[in-house]
Amino acid sequence: MSKSLLGKFLFVLMLAFVLLIAACSDGSDDDSSSDEEGNEESSENEGEDEEEEEASGEGDQLYSIEDFSPTTANSGEPIEGGELTYGLVTDTAFEGTLNWAFYSGTYDAEILNWFDESLLGYSNEYRINDEGAATYEVDEENSSITFTIKDGVKWHDGEPVTAEDWAFAYETILHPDYDGVRGTSAGFTRLLGYEEYVSGEADEIEGIEIVDDQTITFHYDRLTPSLLTGGIWGYPLAKHIFEDIPVAEMSSSPEVREEPIGFGPFKVESVTPGESVTLSKFEDYWRGEPNLDKVTIKTINPSTAANAVETGEVDLVDSFPADQYADNADLEGVDWLGMIDQAYTYIGFKLGDWDAEAGKVNYKPEEMKMGDVDLRRAMWYAVDNSEVGEQFYDGLRWNGTTLIPPSHPEYHDDSIETPTFDPDKANQILDDAGYEDVDGDGFREDPDGEELVINFATMSGGDIAQPLANYYMQSWERVGLNVELVDGRLLEFNSFYDRVGQRGEDDPEIDIYQGAWSVGYDVDPTGLYGKEALFNFPRYESEKNDELLAEGVSEEAFDTEYRKEVYSEWQEFMVEEIPVFPTLYRSIVVPANERVVNWDITVEGTNTRYSEVGVTE
């Protein structure tokens, strides 16, 4: 066992020891017992530090994402005819829904990036620019945006990408038989005729005007700032391929699963379901011929990812477990890239379920085990996420505070006071809310005196998944809450998201869950917390939440300062309501074999990195 991993296991072991001592203490009342537990924790933490230093021979080193570069150090010229192997770091199979309109998993998206792309280019500030395959012009007076597809943009079968293809994507996603998860962003919902089309009253979307083969105009009921920061769907759907396939059958069709098509720098040659994809150079790519001749994408187990890069089994990986960096920081022939991730990890509370017929959340906290905000707040106070970030991730993840992460510095409000580790406060909140240990078994009953068992869902993956789950459950146990894993085990990635509700079916056995969200380019959180968002897994809604989310995409919000004020208020409101609470902000840290050149993981870099990446001798 590596010394870094040993430290992490010792951390969990010592926490368990603290719990054992606390359970054996003979305090005569709740107050004295709480005080004893707090003192013992402080004492054991000091002992833990000493034991870790003794085990490793030195104190654990903490890292900062600010010390990493997002681009490869190799400045050499790529060789002609190079080949590259790209690793998907996962212990599960990828789903294989290889079309932007229908995918839902991050691994499918990583594959898609190599052979298909948005028509829209983006700056590092997450704003649309003219660097993509289409240029744009905003008409504020008429609340419309016109896009012109550049010359030479072709599908892999040689057919041109047209304005009709772009319109067809919208018509498909908003079709009543569409079974995907897209269609809730402002780029869809603000279109003129949106309601009429989705309800089946109209056969066409009024707000989409095809000007000519390469020009399309989107007409909106009003413009919002979200439209220019990721709110517009930029992925066309090849009409000449899909128009004869019923919408309900598209996502499972061979054209999506076996022979997907795009207009990106590489084209798909073969797919081994769940395991690998082989791609070849698309010589007629609109930016120019890519540097590489061939790319092989394959799954790599998280425990072997670093070694696979060092040995050349893979040249690049999509991601890397931050908890493994410390043990691999000095690998020979490896260039480490890093930046703040547009993501956060969180604990979510089930407060309702999904009403598929109405297409919205069914918020019913009075019927749900986690409906009491005091219970949710106490669970936030009970966990030490700063310690988790240091002990499990060596500083490359850190305490999360609000639901807009620091990857969006204009809008992340770090001045908001949020619950931080305070088990005494957690105990007091639970006492005051009526959660008491009635039968003396060490666990609190609910305010009605009924047994309270909280079912916790979290994912498998990597060496620390189980110890991390244990840490959270033990932290909650320390304040008298009985939290158990759903099915008694960690859940596989695809199964986890199905059960928390990504297909509209909420598993009633799940009370709380640990998930992670990428927040995308647009800061608007409606797609995750709006009442009509399928990804609103807590199934939370409120009138004030609706109001703030609407204000964030209002005409007034074109004023950045006004929009910042709105989202600051929303962040603070979510701290009060706690449908979820962030646990950790995340960094992207990925190894690249030193022979790789022109790989840039920034937002701006995604415009060209797939076509310009290459390898040197």
Side-chain angles (χ1 to χ4, degrees):
M1 182 181 294
S2 68
K3 66 182 182 182
S4 176
L5 190 56
L6 174 62
K8 296 173 178 67
F9 276 106
L10 283 172
F11 172 55
V12 176
L13 181 63
M14 293 306 297
L15 175 62
F17 183 53
V18 171
L19 294 170
L20 178 63
I21 293 176
C24 295
S25 68
D26 57 356
S28 58
D29 55 54
D30 286 345
D31 290 337
S32 63
S33 176
S34 176
D35 288 342
E36 287 176 6
E37 288 175 16
N39 290 334
E40 285 163 358
E41 179 194 30
S42 175
S43 172
E44 294 303 328
N45 277 344
E46 291 171 9
E48 174 194 332
D49 291 341
E50 292 170 5
E51 186 159 354
E52 284 184 10
E53 289 185 14
E54 183 178 351
S56 64
E58 57 183 352
D60 286 342
Q61 180 175 352
L62 297 180
Y63 300 91
S64 170
I65 194 59
E66 296 178 0
D67 296 332
F68 291 79
S69 169
T71 59
T72 48
N74 187 348
S75 58
E77 286 295 321
I79 61 173
E80 293 185 11
E83 297 184 6
L84 182 142
T85 303
Y86 187 73
L88 296 179
V89 181
T90 172
D91 62 352
T92 65
F94 59 81
E95 188 174 354
T97 308
L98 301 179
N99 186 285
W100 289 112
F102 304 104
Y103 92 99
S104 60
T106 184
Y107 305 115
D108 288 352
E110 288 294 335
I111 298 168
L112 278 162
N113 280 324
W114 285 92
F115 73 88
D116 202 11
E117 61 186 43
S118 173
L119 289 164
L120 309 176
Y122 286 90
S123 70
N124 280 335
E125 290 73 37
Y126 312 111
R127 293 183 176 87
I128 292 176
N129 58 28
D130 288 338
E131 299 303 310
T135 59
Y136 77 102
E137 186 174 340
V138 178
D139 182 347
E140 294 183 13
E141 184 176 346
N142 294 301
S143 297
S144 64
I145 305 177
T146 297
F147 293 91
T148 302
I149 301 172
K150 295 176 180 177
D151 293 336
V153 181
K154 299 177 183 178
W155 295 106
H156 293 152
D157 61 4
E159 291 293 319
V161 175
T162 66
E164 246 186 81
D165 294 326
W166 205 345
F168 183 63
Y170 278 76
E171 293 164 357
T172 299
I173 290 171
L174 297 180
H175 193 279
D177 293 337
Y178 171 70
D179 62 355
V181 297
R182 314 267 102 75
T184 61
S185 67
F188 291 100
T189 61
R190 303 243 69 94
L191 280 170
L192 295 180
Y194 164 80
E195 294 288 350
E196 291 81 359
Y197 184 81
V198 298
S199 66
E201 296 176 18
D203 294 329
E204 297 180 347
I205 303 171
E206 178 189 349
I208 298 181
E209 176 189 358
I210 298 175
V211 180
D212 58 42
D213 284 349
Q214 292 176 240
T215 308
I216 189 170
T217 300
F218 296 107
H219 300 275
Y220 304 97
D221 58 0
R222 60 180 176 80
L223 296 179
T224 81
S226 288
L227 293 172
L228 300 180
T229 56
I232 293 177
W233 183 255
Y235 299 96
L237 186 63
K239 187 173 182 178
H240 66 285
I241 291 176
F242 286 93
E243 63 180 332
D244 294 329
I245 303 174
V247 172
E249 299 174 14
M250 287 183 182
S251 65
S252 59
S253 68
E255 288 79 4
V256 168
R257 302 281 182 161
E258 300 167 18
E259 300 174 349
I261 192 171
F263 66 94
F266 298 90
K267 55 186 178 181
V268 175
E269 296 293 341
S270 64
V271 177
T272 301
E275 296 181 10
S276 65
V277 177
T278 301
L279 307 103
S280 64
K281 174 192 298 187
F282 180 43
E283 294 182 355
D284 287 336
Y285 178 55
W286 69 275
R287 290 187 191 272
E289 190 173 330
N291 283 324
L292 294 169
D293 277 356
K294 178 182 176 181
V295 173
T296 300
I297 303 173
K298 66 178 186 178
T299 58
I300 293 290
N301 191 283
S303 63
T304 62
N307 180 256
V309 175
E310 183 183 30
T311 61
E313 178 186 351
V314 298
D315 298 290
L316 288 167
V317 292
D318 70 304
S319 61
F320 186 79
D323 59 289
Q324 293 185 25
Y325 173 76
D327 292 328
N328 296 285
D330 299 322
L331 290 181
E332 290 291 331
V334 173
D335 186 12
W336 287 96
L337 314 182
M339 61 181 288
I340 294 175
D341 198 359
Q342 301 161 222
Y344 56 87
T345 309
Y346 68 97
I347 298 293
F349 301 96
K350 282 295 188 177
L351 304 176
D353 53 28
W354 180 254
D355 185 338
E357 185 174 344
K360 65 183 291 292
V361 303
N362 177 25
Y363 177 58
K364 48 181 183 180
E366 67 284 348
E367 300 178 26
M368 306 300 288
K369 197 179 297 182
M370 308 311 298
D372 184 351
V373 69
D374 285 328
L375 175 58
R376 305 196 297 270
R377 182 172 292 108
M379 293 184 76
W380 193 349
Y381 273 112
V383 295
D384 189 348
N385 290 311
S386 293
E387 189 76 356
V388 169
E390 292 181 3
Q391 294 291 342
F392 285 95
Y393 299 101
D394 303 293
L396 293 175
R397 291 187 185 178
W398 57 99
N399 180 51
T401 54
T402 77
L403 297 180
I404 295 179
S407 56
H408 291 64
E410 276 188 306
Y411 296 100
H412 170 65
D413 190 344
D414 59 6
S415 70
I416 295 173
E417 185 176 344
T418 65
T420 53
F421 181 55
D422 189 338
D424 290 340
K425 180 119 180 173
N427 276 313
Q428 189 63 56
I429 290 171
L430 292 169
D431 290 345
D432 292 345
Y435 294 87
E436 299 178 355
D437 180 7
V438 176
D439 57 13
D441 67 350
F443 293 115
R444 297 174 184 267
E445 277 67 45
D446 70 19
D448 294 325
E450 300 294 327
E451 181 184 34
L452 178 62
V453 178
I454 300 171
N455 297 312
F456 178 36
T458 188
M459 283 178 280
S460 62
D463 293 329
I464 69 166
Q466 186 70 59
L468 184 57
N470 291 345
Y471 166 74
Y472 282 118
M473 290 189 294
Q474 290 165 351
S475 295
W476 291 319
E477 181 180 1
R478 188 176 185 282
V479 296
L481 297 175
N482 187 4
V483 182
E484 299 179 353
L485 287 176
V486 172
D487 298 344
R489 59 181 174 81
L490 306 183
L491 302 180
E492 180 269 336
F493 176 87
N494 293 317
S495 173
F496 171 84
Y497 277 108
D498 283 350
R499 292 178 69 172
V500 297
Q502 75 170 356
R503 301 188 188 281
E505 298 179 4
D506 300 82
D507 187 336
E509 294 299 312
I510 296 175
D511 301 313
I512 68 172
Y513 62 96
Q514 179 181 237
W517 278 132
S518 170
V519 296
Y521 291 176
D522 183 24
V523 70
D524 173 24
T526 303
L528 299 179
Y529 299 104
K531 63 183 178 183
E532 296 177 347
L534 180 60
F535 285 163
N536 180 347
F537 294 149
R539 308 312 186 200
Y540 166 81
E541 71 165 312
S542 72
E543 185 175 336
K544 184 171 182 180
N545 185 54
D546 293 344
E547 291 174 356
L548 289 172
L549 293 179
E551 280 299 304
V553 294
S554 65
E555 290 186 34
E556 292 84 353
F558 274 105
D559 179 342
T560 301
E561 290 305 313
Y562 176 81
R563 199 179 197 205
K564 286 166 64 175
E565 290 176 8
V566 170
Y567 286 135
S568 178
E569 185 176 354
W570 180 81
Q571 289 170 80
E572 191 161 17
F573 182 61
M574 288 294 99
V575 171
E576 296 170 6
E577 293 284 279
I578 322 177
V580 310
F581 69 80
T583 54
L584 299 170
Y585 293 140
R586 301 154 66 103
S587 58
I588 298 173
V589 179
V590 291
N593 191 283
E594 64 180 1
R595 77 189 193 112
V596 175
V597 65
N598 298 337
W599 189 249
D600 180 348
I601 63 174
T602 64
V603 172
E604 208 164 78
T606 61
N607 294 330
T608 58
R609 74 183 184 203
Y610 298 98
S611 60
E612 294 186 356
V613 65
V615 293
T616 57
E617 291 289 358

